[in-house]
Amino acid sequence: MTTTVKTKHRAMWASGDYPAVASELVAPLGPALVQAVGIGRGQAVLDVAAGTGNAAIAAAQAGATVTASDLTPELLAVGEKNSPVPLTWVEADAEELPFDTASFDAVISCIGVMFAPFHTAAAAELLRVCRPGGSIGLANWTPQGFIGQMFATMKPYAAPPPPGAQPPPLWGDPEHLANLLGDGVTDVRVERHDLRVGHFGTAAAFRDYFKHNYGPTIAVYRNIADDPARVAALDAELVALAERHDVGGGAMNWEYLIYTARRAD
């Protein structure tokens, strides 16, 4: 990742209040991933693009020795402050990890590495730092699920991505993961799940929460801030999206994919 892209990416995730999103909306995903991978005592685990550590903390609570890495130091600082268990927090780019080859028993990422813009580079790093026979586990939003559809809705209003960058929700497509990880893994298992989110009473409340707290949404609105008509149009589209996914009382199901595999020998 070039320095300019890296700086913008870090600033995007530091904007708003992603720690609130992590604790109020998506906290269950970390423990679900740790359980799916089977992480336990005595394992050396790396959580890539860990954010505030939802998965890293769950892995440490399971008895593993955990390193949480993320590009955004502001998120790591919140995670370290709030963690009830000891683990190591390291500022690191998912596309160029500062760890030795084959140095972890398990490499995981919970809705994290999917946001690294250059998928092939990030996937190669996941494989490189995992020891042969070790575990790789990912939890990613799917393209057809709510968050995937939110990104599709925002795309026409967003700044052009860097050349070669790919959309984050592709990491929730099993075929894309097969292309990325290829013969570097065996024993692949893929499961789709829904995260029930009942935090918002109305579709408008969802939109406003994401406008103020979620870095990617904030970045899109900043891109169109000087065009009130486009702001109004995106406002309406996000409300309509949430209304289509309402399963009652403002609650929504957000589909995600859990992918587990063993690093090939």
Side-chain angles (χ1 to χ4, degrees):
M1 190 189 298
T2 66
T3 301
T4 300
V5 172
K6 187 182 302 184
T7 300
K8 289 182 178 178
H9 204 67
R10 181 186 291 119
M12 179 184 72
W13 288 106
S15 65
D17 190 355
Y18 188 75
V21 177
S23 63
E24 295 171 356
L25 304 183
V26 300
L29 299 186
L33 177 61
V34 168
Q35 182 177 18
V37 176
I39 289 172
R41 192 166 303 280
Q43 290 183 300
V45 176
L46 174 65
D47 184 3
V48 178
T52 55
N54 280 348
I57 291 169
Q61 289 174 325
T65 300
V66 180
T67 300
S69 69
D70 199 275
L71 183 67
T72 307
E74 293 87 345
L75 300 183
L76 294 174
V78 173
E80 184 171 16
K81 178 182 177 181
N82 294 335
S83 177
V85 287
L87 59 148
T88 302
W89 304 83
V90 177
E91 183 180 343
D93 180 356
E95 296 166 2
E96 193 174 354
L97 294 169
F99 307 110
D100 291 339
T101 297
S103 54
F104 294 95
D105 300 309
V107 179
I108 62 174
S109 186
C110 183
I111 55 172
V113 73
M114 66 180 292
F115 292 102
F118 304 109
H119 295 189
T120 300
E125 285 293 86
L126 297 180
L127 293 173
R128 182 184 66 80
V129 300
C130 186
R131 67 166 176 80
S135 299
I136 291 178
L138 306 170
N140 298 316
W141 302 121
T142 64
Q144 65 270 28
F146 178 77
I147 297 296
Q149 289 301 299
M150 184 186 76
F151 274 89
T153 299
M154 296 192 301
K155 183 178 178 179
Y157 302 91
Q166 293 178 284
L170 281 178
W171 280 80
D173 177 356
E175 184 175 344
H176 185 65
L177 290 174
N179 290 333
L180 287 177
L181 299 169
D183 58 6
V185 294
T186 62
D187 302 332
V188 173
R189 294 187 62 186
V190 175
E191 297 179 353
R192 296 180 186 273
H193 298 275
D194 285 326
L195 175 68
R196 177 63 64 93
V197 178
H199 186 81
F200 312 107
T202 66
F206 150 77
R207 177 202 61 205
D208 293 343
Y209 183 98
F210 269 65
K211 283 179 71 170
H212 290 98
N213 294 311
Y214 191 59
T217 307
I218 292 168
V220 170
Y221 272 99
R222 285 178 176 168
N223 186 57
I224 59 174
D226 60 352
D227 190 337
R230 297 191 77 199
V231 170
L234 181 54
D235 278 347
E237 288 193 45
L238 289 176
V239 166
L241 176 71
E243 288 176 342
R244 289 197 300 273
H245 285 79
D246 190 334
V247 294
M252 295 179 279
N253 290 328
W254 295 0
E255 186 182 68
Y256 64 96
L257 190 83
I258 285 191
Y259 171 101
T260 60
R262 185 174 66 85
R263 178 67 168 99
D265 295 333

